[in-house]
Amino acid sequence: ASVLLLRACLALLAMPIYLLSVLGIWGPFCKKVFFPYFLEKIGTIHEGKAKKYKQELFRNLPDFSSSSGQLKLLEIGTGCGTNFQFYPPGCKVTCTDINPGFQQSLLRSMKKNQHIQYEDFLVAAGEDLHQVPSGSMDVVVCTLVLCSVRSLNDTLREVLRVLRPGGAFYFLEHVAANPASWMYFWQQVYYPTWKLIFDGCCLTRAIQKDLELASFSELKVQHMSIPLPWMPIEPHIIGYGVK
């Protein structure tokens, strides 16, 4: 009852956004203007806290290069391109995002990271990567994206389809907190309004369970905390799975 009451209070505070959503105005504005701007700003803070974890995570990327020595990498939900700095020199990167509004900030990241080769930018959802041939990628990367895909299972199926046998899927995602914690209580309170404001981001997904059920031959998952000011997304998982 307390969760429902607090949800209602939060919805009242965010009533202008709910009204804009009903009128069909908020969705396009969020995708084209608000969310790309917000993600670029908050991404800077998150990157500062997550950088050491990402450096360690992506350290073994070259191990998954093909027999020719080339590494073909697909990033789902590339966003502002914050991961480019961690990719090895010469890596061939295909970028995808469902939101074309990120292309300007993505271009800025490309100019800063000339050590990798940019193959393409595809406007595509994680659940439907039909533009990418099956078994064509050595590595797939997804960070802070699985929280907002429409179907987590379909996205993981697409990941496994586009990976070659022996390829790897790298992830870093915020997840649902321990159900017995205050953090989980506030995630439940924020959930509907947060999802509306932040373009479908879901606070309460236990993503690690879906990863465990996917058909990876090897899965390495580490739980960690990345606290952000006034953000109910502290619990994270990081790791990779091998096809």
Side-chain angles (χ1 to χ4, degrees), residues 147-167:
C147 59
S148 57
V149 295
R150 290 190 304 275
S151 170
L152 188 48
N153 289 333
D154 288 347
T155 300
L156 292 176
R157 263 195 295 272
E158 280 290 82
V159 166
L160 286 163
R161 180 186 66 79
V162 303
L163 278 174
R164 63 165 175 79

Side-chain angles (χ1 to χ4, degrees), residues 142-149 152 155-156 169 171 173 205 207 211:
C142 193
T143 60
L144 302 181
V145 172
L146 296 180
C147 59
S148 57
V149 295
L152 188 48
T155 300
L156 292 176
F169 172 55
F171 54 86
E173 300 289 339
R205 282 186 176 170
I207 295 171
L211 288 166

Side-chain angles (χ1 to χ4, degrees), residues 44-143:
T44 302
I45 301 173
H46 187 276
E47 193 59 35
K49 294 177 178 289
K51 187 171 183 177
K52 61 181 179 180
Y53 299 107
K54 285 188 176 183
Q55 287 174 330
E56 183 60 32
L57 173 67
F58 293 126
R59 193 184 303 278
N60 69 337
L61 272 177
D63 294 348
F64 293 99
S65 300
S66 64
S67 56
S68 65
Q70 182 69 63
L71 181 69
K72 295 189 69 175
L73 184 151
L74 172 74
E75 183 164 354
I76 299 174
T78 308
C80 305
T82 55
N83 292 326
F84 292 163
Q85 60 184 303
F86 304 106
Y87 297 158
C91 174
K92 290 188 174 182
V93 179
T94 299
C95 306
T96 75
D97 205 293
I98 195 172
N99 187 350
F102 284 113
Q103 288 191 63
Q104 291 303 314
S105 55
L106 188 58
L107 287 172
R108 289 195 291 271
S109 292
M110 288 179 176
K111 290 178 181 178
K112 293 178 184 177
N113 295 277
Q114 296 293 321
H115 64 287
I116 56 180
Q117 300 177 38
Y118 301 99
E119 296 284 276
D120 204 353
F121 176 80
L122 307 174
V123 178
E127 303 93 333
D128 182 10
L129 300 171
H130 68 274
Q131 297 153 294
V132 183
S134 299
S136 62
M137 294 293 163
D138 302 305
V139 168
V140 176
V141 173
C142 193
T143 60

Side-chain angles (χ1 to χ4, degrees), residues 9 17 20 22 24 31 42 58 62 80 120 136 138 148 165 170 196 206 208 219 235 238 240 242-243:
C9 293
I17 294 177
L20 289 173
V22 171
K31 289 183 181 298
I42 199 67
F58 293 126
C80 305
D120 204 353
S136 62
D138 302 305
S148 57
Y170 285 74
L196 172 65
Q208 63 274 20
L219 182 65
I238 189 171
Y240 66 92
V242 179
K243 178 178 175 179

